[in-house]
Amino acid sequence: MTKVKLTKIDLEWVHVISEGFMREDEYLQSLHFNSLRMNDGSLVNMSLPIVLSIDDETKEKIGVSKNVALVSLQGDIIGSLRSVEKKERIARTWGTTSQGLPYVEEHSLPLETVFKPIKYNDGLDHYRLSPKQLRKEFDNRQADAVFAFQLRNPVHNGHALLMNDTRKRLLEMGYKSPIMLLHPLGGFTKADDVPLGVRMEQHSKVKTLSLVKSFDIKIDYSSSMARQGSRINAGANFYIVGRDPAGMGHPTEKRDLYDPDHGKKVLSMAPGLEKLNILPFRVAAYDTIEKKMALFDPSRAKEFLFISGTKMRTKARTGENPPDGFMCPSGWNVLVKYY
């Protein structure tokens, strides 16, 4: 076969797809209907077609070949593409074709087969559990509810507030043994984001402290944010959604591409997510009167301080401590040490 070498990001996408392939039929369903119809007739939400992006040189190299071998940076053949097709997907996926969007003018390929589990050999592979492995873990712990929380920043007390409140809500619903699935984004992130290894160290410090010790946390590596179906397969039946998940800037204008509440509104009505109960939350911010993270109260707007991920990283980089009650000291020390 013609061999195509994968970048690290490509490998992460292959990792995602290996836990739920997207062949041509699935690709077209995702592109046009934002969901997949399974063999049993049920719908699975999948609004983002998952394909392999290639450049002009690779496209020319493949030529008319219908079979392509996927090669890791180390030279191992890890998967294959068969019956190769190239199709336009930008407008339907992103709602814009503006120049400057990262995915504009890329060619793409659907995936056929992955030969073996994906390994990165970076000391973090033990976190990268498949949905099948996670479900077994939750079954062993006799969890009667699993609630997922996704983030790409270090955990602060605002996150812990939402985690604890979710557990309280589930107990009030009658569940006896709820477990949280913490989903750190392990794939492509913004250039100034804290690296995955540092975040995992920070998470491990936070999860042993009093703010979250009242329940179990199971950290699971996630290559991308296109994992709702995998979370359901892993046994998650509740999903915490706050402000716009994965805020995205407009490619040509100085504004966000989506409204802040866009993500949770769409998730709450998305077909194929009936098995996943969406739990919307207000934004958590620092209450300057109570000296702690709290749910934002618009009637006291001036008494709240918003510390974004960018502000948090700037403070850690310059050695400036955040307000007391923003993040546990041991977790903050991990960030200061990194910078």
Side-chain angles (χ1 to χ4, degrees), residues 66-77:
K66 292 292 184 181
N67 301 317
V68 173
L70 302 178
V71 182
S72 70
L73 291 173
Q74 291 72 36
D76 298 324
I77 296 178

Side-chain angles (χ1 to χ4, degrees), residues 242-257:
R243 185 189 60 82
D244 174 21
M248 186 176 185
H250 193 280
T252 59
E253 302 174 16
K254 291 184 178 180
R255 62 177 179 85
D256 286 337
L257 191 57

Side-chain angles (χ1 to χ4, degrees), residues 194-327:
V194 178
L196 177 63
V198 179
R199 282 186 280 129
M200 297 306 277
E201 181 185 357
Q202 192 267 351
H203 296 348
S204 69
K205 300 292 185 183
V206 170
K207 73 173 184 175
T208 62
L209 300 181
S210 59
L211 74 155
V212 292
K213 73 177 182 181
S214 59
F215 56 94
D216 290 317
I217 294 180
K218 188 65 183 177
I219 297 178
D220 174 48
Y221 172 90
S222 176
S223 297
S224 81
M225 293 190 177
R227 285 287 292 265
Q228 294 301 79
S230 294
R231 294 189 186 101
I232 294 173
N233 290 341
N237 47 1
F238 293 91
Y239 183 54
I240 304 174
V241 180
R243 185 189 60 82
D244 174 21
M248 186 176 185
H250 193 280
T252 59
E253 302 174 16
K254 291 184 178 180
R255 62 177 179 85
D256 286 337
L257 191 57
Y258 308 112
D259 291 334
D261 287 336
H262 178 91
K264 64 183 180 184
K265 285 181 180 177
V266 171
L267 281 176
S268 297
M269 64 180 70
L273 289 185
E274 291 82 6
K275 295 180 180 178
L276 194 64
N277 298 282
I278 305 300
L279 300 176
F281 277 93
R282 301 198 308 273
V283 177
Y286 186 76
D287 188 329
T288 59
I289 303 300
E290 298 294 331
K291 306 296 183 185
K292 65 178 183 179
M293 296 297 289
L295 295 177
F296 177 65
D297 181 355
S299 68
R300 300 171 45 225
K302 294 183 179 180
E303 297 174 353
F304 282 86
L305 177 64
F306 286 90
I307 304 177
S308 66
T310 301
K311 289 181 180 178
M312 177 179 62
R313 292 188 292 272
T314 300
K315 288 180 181 294
R317 187 181 295 112
T318 59
E320 178 186 355
N321 288 325
D324 290 341
F326 173 74
M327 182 185 294

